[in-house]
């Protein structure tokens, strides 16, 4: 479930103009899930659009930066956590 939320936030931030963060969140979704899962059609669309903007090397770098996200840190990775 959390991986699906991360993909949804990736879509949101991509539409908001931040393809690097979207790619990072896709990497985070795969890290939380434990493996890539392309059963969500949005995942491929988000990745394709982010790659078109960042280039393959930029996309891969941003994607890999999400690899350390865990269930415990997933909410913080979205950047949407509550602020004081």
């Amino acid at each position: 479930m959390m991986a699906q939320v991360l993909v949804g936030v990736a879509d949101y931030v991509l539409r908001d103009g931040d393809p690097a963060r979207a790619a990072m969140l896709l990497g985070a979704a795969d890290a939380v899930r434990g493996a890539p899962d392309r059963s969500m059609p949005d995942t491929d669309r988000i990745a394709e659009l982010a790659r078109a903007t960042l280039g393959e090397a930029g996309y891969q770098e941003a994607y890999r930066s999400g690899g350390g996200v865990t269930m415990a840190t997933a909410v913080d990775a979205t950047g949407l956590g509550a602020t004081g």
Side-chain angles (χ1 to χ4, degrees):
M1 178 61 106
M2 180 55 76
Q4 292 174 336
V5 171
L6 290 168
V7 171
V9 176
D11 190 20
Y12 171 79
V13 300
L14 179 66
R15 292 170 191 257
D16 199 41
D18 194 347
R21 189 163 157 220
M24 181 277 293
L25 289 166
L26 291 180
D30 287 349
V32 166
R33 191 181 297 111
D37 175 9
R38 298 299 181 239
S39 64
M40 291 180 64
D42 287 342
T43 303
D44 289 337
R45 177 185 53 79
I46 296 163
E48 183 178 316
L49 291 170
R51 273 190 182 97
T53 303
L54 301 171
E56 185 62 29
Y59 175 83
Q60 289 298 326
E61 181 180 348
Y63 175 88
R64 282 191 303 269
S65 72
V69 174
T70 66
M71 286 293 288
T73 63
V75 172
D76 288 339
T78 68
L80 302 176
T83 57

